[in-house]
Amino acid sequence: MYGILIDSSVQAAEAWLGEFGAALDSGEAARIAGLFAGECHWRDILAFTWNLRTASGAAAIAQRMAPALAHRAPRGLALAAGRTPPRRVVRAGIDAIEAIFVFETSVGPCNGVVRLVFEGGEPRAWTLMTMLDEIRGHEDPANGRRWQDVDWKRNFGGENWLDRRKKAQAYADHDPAVLVVGAAQAGLSIAARLTLLGVDTLVVDREARIGDSWRRRYHALTLHNETRVNHLPYMPFPRSWPVFIPKDMLANWLEIYAEAMELNVWTRTELAGGAWDEAAGCWDVQLRRADGTDRRMRPRHIVFANGVSTTPMMPDLPGLKEFRGTVRHSGDYGSGLDWQGKRALVLGTGTSGHDVAQDLCVSGAAEVTLIQRSPTLIVSLKEAQAPYALYDEDLPFEDLDLLAASFPFPVYRRSHQRMTAANRAADRELLEGLERRGFRLTFGPDDTGWQIMYQSRGGGYYFDAGCSQMIVDGRIGLVQYADIERFAPEGAMMKDGSIKPADLIVLATGYEGQAAAARRLLGDAVGERIGPVRGFDGEGELHGMWRPTGQKGLWFHAGGLAQCRIFSKSLALQIKARELGITS
């Protein structure tokens, strides 16, 4: 039976691809539109345009696709040999045939994913994703091809590998084409992609060591999503690693990764400021080194990879300056062992707030109270892994990454609504216990869950690793910020006149966004041109992320390790194309 299903799925996919290829050859919008279902969506990642775009509806898809046919000339559509064959799946509650295919354009080879449903007895596309894989003539050498370095395999009397690495990293006689700001997972992943594409790239980071942005965070920090989905490009984590990676383990890996991938990184270096030189087509930036000296550079591109957890936000709260105890941001909080026998208030109920409160409580703090400012999404650690269920499928990892990128936003959104409903049902007892304690819950905009919250605002949720149950049990206290009149020397003065005493106040109040950092460093004019960064546009693509912004030569790259791995490739291809002058 399984073989029959596979055969019928293959036949349906081959038939649709044949008709689709003929429709593209014809250039007729009506013929293209006729191959799509009543509900249909197309996500294009650089295959037809140098951008990430999504169109919904057969007419809209055809109208967008048809004008690109002349200059991209798609051809050779076929099922991808050696990859996961077409098969029946259920995605977002819809039974479909899912097929991976390949094709060529004037730019290079592309991959695609189509999900077919049957209407009137004929296969029609429900979702389509097309993605540029490589630029012809500038292929990634990691894809089965290695450098032919016969000219310096033996270096008697000349430069050896170490000599060349030192020279490359010094930038004594040249500037990089790309300056990447931030040397955590985002910065290193885009640097690795660009380096292998032959684009000279320098990464700068203000920390003393690569990985310190993770090392310096609170003592108990461990990743909340599973290692199996978190690999960086080219170098997967060892199979012996734990399910959830401790912060220092990840920090050390980032250091190893930069060395192994031969990345040029300057630590103890900050971007102090810069301006776009329109006439020269490059940036004029100042880099401040640890010894106090400045280095002027003129890169053609800047990639902000400084993450969503870089510059702490320290709100000026009423009375906080009068508090006689210690005030710390969660990023610099340290360890709960430093506060044994003390009383603590933790402002904020996102991931950091919960983790800090739990660490304080189990480390022996006399009293720990969370202060909730806004409704928070709570999901158990087990249920929070639902968005990664795709990676449980027994498929090659590169196919899983392709499938993960293939969901147009309307389908992605619906899928997350279904996951969120299932999570709520599974976590019902925990959530009801929290509500009894006065904890205010949310399930994201239109009940779409935590991942869309992360992509929209960078937080507002917590994967319960034990703290929620401690709140339910009363081991950790809870007050609402709306019930606080102001802070006082002894702690928090409540509106009823009582004092909530504290020796420590931890501000788990988040971090400056990437767009704000760019505005601060590059000026208001650049900030205005950039526009919003993160959050979804009208098509369901992220504003300004992994795609052109309103400012020439300025890019943004961020996200979890999986997002950094997948979309660093698309971003690197766009920058490479601009270096080659082929984006028109």
Side-chain angles (χ1 to χ4, degrees):
M1 183 65 179
Y2 182 74
I4 294 173
L5 287 174
I6 287 289
D7 289 344
S8 62
S9 297
V10 169
Q11 291 168 4
E14 287 180 333
W16 187 87
L17 285 172
E19 291 186 43
F20 186 51
L24 295 180
D25 289 342
S26 76
E28 299 173 12
R31 189 171 175 183
I32 295 170
L35 293 170
F36 287 83
E39 182 206 348
C40 55
H41 313 278
W42 170 41
R43 187 183 197 192
D44 182 55
I45 304 177
L46 313 183
F48 284 75
T49 68
W50 287 109
N51 209 325
L52 283 71
R53 300 292 303 274
T54 295
S56 296
I61 290 171
Q63 288 169 8
R64 179 169 294 173
M65 193 175 288
L69 299 178
H71 60 87
R72 285 298 174 104
R75 59 194 181 277
L77 282 80
L79 293 177
R83 302 192 73 161
T84 302
R87 64 210 176 106
R88 287 200 172 271
V89 297
V90 177
R91 304 293 190 205
I94 301 296
D95 184 15
I97 293 173
E98 184 175 80
I100 296 174
F101 64 95
V102 294
F103 61 103
E104 293 279 338
T105 70
S106 59
V107 175
C110 299
N111 293 313
V113 176
V114 64
R115 295 183 182 90
L116 302 171
V117 295
F118 282 86
E119 292 185 354
E122 298 295 329
R124 293 292 178 257
W126 167 46
T127 74
L128 175 68
M129 189 277 289
T130 50
M131 176 187 285
L132 179 66
D133 188 41
E134 293 188 305
I135 297 173
R136 191 175 295 104
H138 301 275
E139 291 80 7
D140 188 332
N143 292 339
R145 294 172 289 276
R146 295 292 183 262
W147 293 275
Q148 298 299 311
D149 56 354
V150 293
D151 59 326
W152 57 287
K153 280 186 176 179
R154 298 292 180 268
N155 297 286
F156 304 115
E159 289 183 327
N160 68 3
W161 172 85
L162 183 58
D163 295 329
R164 292 187 178 215
R165 286 296 303 128
K166 288 180 178 179
K167 184 176 180 180
Q169 293 188 80
Y171 287 97
D173 57 0
H174 70 289
D175 291 342
V178 180
L179 178 69
V180 176
V181 182
Q185 66 269 15
L188 297 182
S189 61
I190 185 59
R193 297 283 194 188
L194 288 168
T195 298
L196 286 188
L197 288 177
V199 180
D200 193 347
T201 302
L202 170 64
V203 185
V204 297
D205 197 290
R206 64 188 178 189
E207 302 289 355
R209 291 173 59 192
I210 295 171
D212 275 356
S213 58
W214 283 98
R215 284 189 195 91
R216 289 197 306 99
R217 298 187 67 190
Y218 55 89
H219 190 71
L221 176 61
T222 297
L223 268 62
H224 287 66
N225 50 5
E226 296 181 0
T227 301
R228 64 196 172 98
V229 301
N230 279 337
H231 308 291
L232 287 169
Y234 310 114
M235 282 180 60
F237 297 123
R239 293 176 65 86
S240 60
W241 275 34
V243 174
F244 298 103
I245 305 174
K247 68 179 181 72
D248 298 286
M249 196 174 194
L250 177 60
N252 291 345
W253 182 260
L254 295 178
E255 215 168 28
I256 293 168
Y257 183 83
E259 180 64 29
M261 294 305 302
E262 304 179 70
L263 307 182
N264 299 329
V265 182
W266 286 4
T267 54
R268 299 181 183 270
T269 304
E270 289 191 72
L271 174 62
W276 174 253
D277 185 334
E278 183 66 40
C282 67
W283 292 94
D284 188 345
V285 301
Q286 294 77 45
L287 302 179
R288 186 150 300 142
R289 309 299 302 274
D291 60 6
T293 62
D294 285 355
R295 168 71 185 269
R296 181 182 177 187
M297 283 188 166
R298 295 175 67 79
R300 290 182 289 276
H301 308 268
I302 296 176
V303 178
F304 274 88
N306 50 334
V308 295
S309 302
T310 302
T311 303
M313 290 193 295
M314 300 287 285
D316 184 14
L317 303 173
L320 188 60
K321 292 178 181 177
E322 301 168 15
F323 178 60
R324 288 198 293 258
T326 301
V327 178
R328 290 184 181 172
H329 191 272
S330 57
D332 298 314
Y333 143 77
S335 170
L337 295 173
D338 300 330
W339 299 95
Q340 291 179 341
K342 303 295 184 180
R343 299 161 299 183
L345 297 174
V346 181
L347 176 63
T349 49
T351 298
S352 296
H354 279 87
D355 278 357
V356 167
Q358 183 172 356
D359 188 44
L360 284 162
C361 186
V362 301
S363 297
E367 183 180 347
V368 182
T369 302
L370 270 172
I371 302 172
Q372 186 175 28
R373 295 192 296 168
S374 57
T376 308
L377 187 151
I378 303 296
V379 58
S380 64
L381 191 59
K382 176 183 176 182
E383 297 300 323
Q385 308 309 311
Y388 307 120
L390 176 68
Y391 286 83
D392 290 330
E393 298 181 21
D394 188 19
L395 304 177
F397 198 80
E398 64 176 3
D399 289 1
L400 294 173
D401 273 357
L402 186 66
L403 295 176
S406 70
F407 293 99
F409 183 74
V411 176
Y412 179 81
R413 182 178 182 274
R414 188 186 312 162
S415 178
H416 281 272
Q417 286 176 319
R418 294 173 62 87
M419 290 180 205
T420 302
N423 292 163
R424 289 178 68 174
D427 291 337
R428 180 178 58 83
E429 184 177 347
L430 175 67
L431 299 177
E432 290 177 351
L434 286 168
E435 287 185 312
R436 285 194 297 270
R437 292 277 288 137
F439 196 95
R440 293 182 295 142
L441 296 171
T442 181
F443 300 97
D446 297 322
D447 293 346
T448 50
W450 70 264
Q451 195 162 69
I452 286 179
M453 288 185 74
Y454 171 71
Q455 292 168 334
S456 298
R457 50 179 285 201
Y461 57 86
Y462 167 61
F463 300 171
D464 179 35
C467 188
S468 292
Q469 190 61 50
M470 295 170 79
I471 296 170
V472 172
D473 296 340
R475 294 179 63 191
I476 292 175
L478 176 70
V479 300
Q480 294 296 324
Y481 183 73
D483 294 330
I484 296 175
E485 180 69 33
R486 60 184 285 111
F487 290 95
E490 301 85 7
M493 178 182 292
M494 309 303 292
K495 288 183 176 178
D496 63 7
S498 64
I499 294 288
K500 191 72 176 174
D503 304 294
L504 169 70
I505 295 176
V506 179
L507 302 177
T509 47
Y511 297 82
E512 176 185 68
Q514 289 180 289
R519 178 184 290 267
R520 175 170 50 81
L521 293 168
L522 303 175
D524 288 339
V526 170
E528 290 299 318
R529 286 194 290 272
I530 292 169
V533 178
R534 301 186 72 84
F536 296 97
D537 66 14
E539 296 180 359
E541 298 293 345
L542 289 177
H543 286 292
M545 189 65 61
W546 317 308
R547 59 196 302 209
T549 67
Q551 170 61 59
K552 189 183 299 183
L554 185 62
W555 309 84
F556 292 91
H557 182 44
L561 278 89
Q563 287 178 307
C564 288
R565 178 184 68 249
I566 293 170
F567 290 103
S568 58
K569 180 174 182 177
S570 300
L571 177 52
L573 287 171
Q574 292 174 79
I575 293 174
K576 179 67 175 181
R578 281 160 175 76
E579 288 294 285
L580 294 170
I582 59 170
T583 57
S584 58

